[in-house]
Amino acid sequence: MYRRHKLSLMLLIAALLVGLLSACSQNDNGGNNQPGQNAGGDNGASENAGNAGANNAAADEEKAAAIRAGEYKFEEPVTITTVKATDNTIEFKNGETVENNVHTQWARDELGIDIEYLWQVPGDQFATKIRLMLTSGEQLPDILETEDMTLLNEMIESGYYRDITEDFEMYASDWYQEVMGSDPLMWSQMMYDGKKMGLPGFANAGNDNAVMWIRQDLLDELDMEAPTTFEELEALMQAMKDEQPGSVDNLIPLGLSLGAGGGSNPNPFAGWLGESTWVFGPSGTIPAQWLLDEETDTLVHGSTKPEMKAGLERIKSWYDKGFISKEAGLHDENKLAELTGQGRIGILVAPYWLMNWPVPDLQKNVPGATMNPFPVPTLDGVAAARDTKFLRGGMLVRKDFEHADALFLYLNRLVSGRDAGGEFENGFAEDYDYTVLDDGTISTEEDAIPGGKVSIMKYFLYNPTAPFDLMQMMDKIASGAEPETAAEVRMTRTNPNQLRAGQIVNEGWEQGVYIPTQFTGANTPALQSKGGILAKLEGETFTSMIYGKKPISDFDSFVEEWKKIGGQQVTDEVNAWYAKK
């Protein structure tokens, strides 16, 4: 009897063990069963776990969708740490500070985000302060924004900041993703080995792009039309030289700033006022710009391409014929603006904003005078000029920062709030950058805002912008379309000539007129050490050729010297950067 009971007990235990092992094998089947198949037995626990996982995934996606729409708020406040470079353009009111102001309060109240500044220093001390934090092992800020590409490169190479590819795909709004996919250059400054290592910063694209401005009163007096080709341009310049319309002594038909070699464009042809890259573009090069040689898939410096000779010969012929000033090699942009305001310039290739300055000086000093904008002329059917660089550094996200979702919520809300009917439709804070008048209308005038006007954008962690929006909006309004947003309504108040100039820039992009540089990285070591002497050699050589002090046939010798004193090393380093994109 005892043996029968003992055996029964053992069989029962064995059966229980088999059942337990069977259940385990169903929950972890080594990948042998296909999804949805039941290996047998009671699988209720597995189904519950799967349902819980599905529910969590659905909740995560719901949260991500709300963040992309900018319609989320963290129940428990999330902190984002950062640092700030200050300058004298940042102003506060009502006793506020960079740490506590109307914008940081908005982020806390509306989004559940606390913005914490670890420190703030003047801009010229910013890079040094960051490097000290890095070398001393201090906790780096969650986000770091700077236009200093050398500093950005150092911080990326430190390994403390992360690839944001997945964060961007998961949390960036549709608007943001569309903007960033609209042009091949958008990510270029922040791409490292195929990874998006930060959000790029932007200025307004096309800000200094070439538009041909002509004294309309002189055209009328000469009974001539604005030129569309180089041949027509030369005929107009000849008429201006011969007839000196407008009763102007020593009228300069074409204003060029060949002495502009300094600042952001250390080249005599690429100044922000009175530029002449459009003279070289139709021949196949853009001075002072890195261009792609499609045959070798390498970058070449535009000032060293053989096509430069055709442009140099053209400008020299204009100099010899008296179409440009004999002192053009001494004229920088400011001097050219002064001459324009005095009524001494007939034609000027300059940015869309010329109606703001110096055209008002011209209109004041020369009654009845004004300048109208036109596209740059074509040569053999081709128009080409440099495209303004719109990339401005970027923002990095710390590798261990756990709330990239909060950062994108902040950015997405800043964008969506600008829509018609949005919280930022009129500005970013009432009685700060706009005010509501007694009659219910909106004013952004300094004198109308109680306590004065301050720029809230100066308080932003980062300003998400679409660099091409301004010119596209000007094109839309210039075309006579009805304004649909508050920004477009404001744009209708802009001078019609300025709107037309912006439209010309936008049309130029669509027609391929404006050629962007293909090198958008930080200064390489050779550029840092040799860039100045190379630019000096270019400027002196080219102006000497235009003045007839050197023959243009010396161009090949110039290229050899350029390479020898550092240009070849720069070219090698630029192409090493290009190969890693």
Side-chain angles (χ1 to χ4, degrees), residues 194-222:
K195 300 175 182 177
K196 297 179 174 72
M197 295 303 298
L199 289 171
F202 302 127
N204 284 325
N207 193 67
D208 294 338
N209 281 23
V211 175
M212 180 164 281
W213 294 84
I214 305 177
R215 285 272 302 272
Q216 185 62 48
D217 54 311
L218 303 187
L219 280 177
D220 294 342
E221 185 175 337
L222 293 169

Side-chain angles (χ1 to χ4, degrees), residues 174-189:
D174 291 344
W175 174 90
Y176 214 163
Q177 299 208 30
E178 182 179 349
V179 166
M180 293 306 299
S182 65
D183 189 279
L185 289 177
M186 291 296 199
W187 286 106
S188 60
Q189 281 197 325

Side-chain angles (χ1 to χ4, degrees), residues 86-102:
T86 60
D87 59 52
N88 57 12
T89 68
I90 301 176
E91 298 177 346
F92 299 97
K93 63 190 297 185
N94 303 328
E96 295 174 355
T97 65
V98 69
E99 297 93 351
N100 187 16
N101 55 63
V102 67

Side-chain angles (χ1 to χ4, degrees), residues 128-147:
T128 300
K129 182 77 169 175
I130 287 290
R131 291 183 176 111
L132 286 174
M133 292 186 78
L134 183 62
T135 56
S136 65
E138 291 182 56
Q139 177 74 21
L140 292 163
D142 295 330
I143 65 168
L144 170 64
E145 182 189 17
T146 179
E147 293 185 10

